[in-house]
Structures are given as structure tokens and as C-alpha cells.
Amino acid sequence: MATEHIVVVGAGQMGAGIAQVALQAGLRVSLVDVNKDGLAKGADRIKAGLKKLVEKGKLDAAKQQAAEANLATFTSARDAKDVDVAIEAVTENEDLKRRIFLELDEVVRPGGILATNTSSIPITRIAAATKRPEAVIGMHFMNPVPVMQLVELIRGAATSDETYATIRAMAERMGKTTVVSKDYPGFIVNRILIPMLNEACFALMEGLGTAEDIDTAMKLGTNQPMGPLQLADFIGLDTVLYIAEVLHKGLGDSKYRPCPLLRQYVDAGWYGKKSGRGFYKY
């Protein structure tokens, strides 16, 4: 299958990062976002990322110029033509994703692939919204995309071997290492990570230690680069809560119950770094 032209839907940090590594791999990228300001910021973020690589000597100027020339921006995916692969990277909202996939089904050429960057929503349910469930796959990048090497590939119930092989090859072309997860809530990374972050919230709520002490203990005691509460702030507490709810609902085990303190912070609008306040102030 050809993968020379991809459309990335969502120009936020994740979408812009995916677009950047695709451009670095020599792919032609159409970046789509309904928000014009968000779209412009996403394009600027990509160009700044490419410039930084040139300054660090990791990308030559000619490849930078070629990458920028291969980037197009649109406020509607329907404006992108001859698309081989679509990668959806919008917020973790299943209804929104299913609506987008209905549209992408009409945009991507026959025989093309529809991928989602979802971090927790079952691929099989998203695929059911399309006319080509065999061509739908999970392609979960880690944040920040240009730095983190891992991509989780998640096969839905109908995902074909050809779809999997094509997307794996494309991810490797982007310089990523892939792992394969079954289509269960949270996949591999978040199935393990989110309960740890949630447990850190319980530890804070129960007064086991201060946020600083909990994070320092985990950094120095388990050699993690960032403490769990600070990491939750960087991910976004609303996102952490949403994934915890997906795990709790999808697996039906009380051990995945979201911490009440986490829910309270989200109710207060304290989403972490992006809102200026979470477990820490920014």
C-alpha cells in the first residue's frame, strides 16, 4: 500500500508532532483542524521543531525546506486530495472520533488506511463507524512525538494483516519502534501507567505524603525521570481521568476506580500544566 500522502486531523501538540515526524520521513502531510488559530499554531510548532533540529545539526537545511514544502493546512479534511493514510489525533472523545472517521471514510482513497491516535478507546468500536473496518488501526504515539520513540499499534477485531504491515512500516520509516497491543481498554502503556498515576492521587488524598515527597520518592526510589503527579499534570488531569474512567468501565474492576481528588481537580478546571494549575502551579 502507498503511504506517501497522509492527512493528520487535529493540530494540537500530538497532531503537530505526528505531522512533524512524518515530514521528516519525507511524507507529504495535510494538517487539518477546524480551528484556524489552532491550525496556525500547529503549523508554527512544526516549523519551529524542524528549525530546532537544523540548529542541533540533526537535520540539514535542504531537508528542512523540503519538509516545509510538503506541509499543507486545511480547516476541512475534505479539502485534502489523494490521501493514502489518515491519522486522527483529536481529543479523547469517542463520539467526536466516530464522527471524524465517518468523514475520513470519504476522504481517504479506496484501499487507504484510517488510523487513530487514541490512547484508550477500543479500535473495534471506532472501526464500526466506517465502511472499511479492516483498514482501521490504532497508532498510539507517545508525547512529545518528535522525542519519544514508541508507537503502540492496536489491531481491532477486523484489522487486516496488510493494514497492520503497512502502518508498522510507516511508523518505522518515521524512526519509531513499534509494539502490538490487543484491543483492550488502555492498551499496554496506559493500562499500566494510569493506575500508577491514579494511585499517586490516592496517596496524596490520604495524606501519605506531599505532592513533592511522593514525586521525589518515585523519581529517586524507582529511577523515573518525572514523578507521577507531575507527569499527570503534563498529560492533563482531564485526560488522566478520562482514561481511568475508560479502564474502570471497560474492565469492570474496582481497582481502576478514579481517585475522588483527581475528579475534584478536574471539576475545578485544574487540568495541570495546560491550565496553569494541577497538583502544582505553573
Side-chain angles (χ1 to χ4, degrees):
M1 287 185 187
T3 57
E4 295 305 311
H5 180 202
I6 71 171
V7 59
V8 178
V9 181
Q13 187 174 11
M14 288 299 296
I18 294 168
Q20 180 183 322
V21 297
L23 290 165
Q24 289 169 212
L27 300 176
R28 188 157 56 96
V29 177
S30 293
L31 183 65
V32 176
D33 200 299
V34 294
N35 184 300
K36 289 184 178 180
D37 290 339
L39 184 61
K41 288 178 181 178
D44 288 344
R45 185 180 286 118
I46 292 167
K47 292 173 183 177
L50 294 171
K51 181 180 179 182
K52 188 177 293 185
L53 289 174
V54 173
E55 293 170 349
K56 290 182 177 180
K58 296 182 178 180
L59 187 72
D60 63 53
K63 288 185 177 179
Q64 176 196 14
Q65 292 175 2
E68 291 185 5
N70 277 334
L71 175 65
T73 58
F74 302 102
T75 54
S76 172
R78 296 185 185 279
D79 293 329
K81 306 298 180 184
D82 301 318
V83 176
D84 298 316
V85 177
I87 303 177
E88 167 273 313
V90 302
T91 189
E92 283 290 272
N93 180 298
E94 184 173 344
D95 289 339
L96 174 61
K97 288 180 185 291
R98 286 171 66 90
R99 289 198 302 272
I100 289 172
F101 267 71
L102 279 172
E103 181 177 359
L104 291 176
D105 211 2
E106 305 300 324
V107 172
V108 176
R109 64 169 179 78
I113 294 173
L114 308 176
T116 173
N117 184 55
T118 181
S119 57
S120 61
I121 299 170
I123 307 306
T124 301
R125 289 213 301 260
I126 294 175
T130 78
K131 298 174 184 176
R132 51 175 119 182
E134 73 286 349
V136 177
I137 190 168
M139 194 179 191
H140 180 211
F141 290 82
M142 305 296 123
N143 191 30
V145 178
V147 176
M148 302 294 280
Q149 283 204 296
L150 181 69
V151 174
E152 280 185 306
L153 300 181
I154 307 96
R155 299 182 64 159
T159 304
S160 70
D161 291 342
E162 186 178 14
T163 294
Y164 163 71
T166 300
I167 290 301
R168 178 179 177 180
M170 189 175 79
E172 290 173 349
R173 179 175 173 180
M174 294 178 185
K176 303 302 182 183
T177 298
T178 64
V179 296
V180 182
S181 171
K182 287 187 175 180
D183 191 18
Y184 292 153
F187 316 134
I188 295 174
V189 173
N190 282 327
R191 173 72 176 268
I192 297 168
L193 175 64
I194 297 301
M196 184 188 75
L197 304 187
N198 194 47
E199 192 63 28
C201 296
F202 273 112
L204 180 64
M205 183 181 75
E206 294 167 7
L208 189 63
T210 65
E212 291 82 0
D213 282 345
I214 291 169
D215 278 352
T216 299
M218 291 303 292
K219 283 191 292 184
L220 302 184
T222 63
N223 203 29
Q224 296 183 36
M226 185 180 293
L229 296 174
Q230 185 182 18
L231 178 56
D233 273 356
F234 275 63
I235 293 171
L237 301 190
D238 52 338
T239 300
V240 173
L241 175 60
Y242 181 84
I243 299 173
E245 290 174 334
V246 168
L247 290 173
H248 189 213
K249 180 180 179 181
L251 298 169
D253 194 318
S254 62
K255 71 180 181 180
Y256 299 111
R257 175 175 65 94
C259 176
L261 182 64
L262 172 62
R263 193 179 299 280
Q264 183 184 56
Y265 275 37
V266 172
D267 288 343
W270 300 348
Y271 301 144
K273 190 174 185 294
K274 62 186 176 185
S275 68
R277 180 171 183 175
F279 294 111
Y280 298 91
K281 291 183 179 180
Y282 299 89

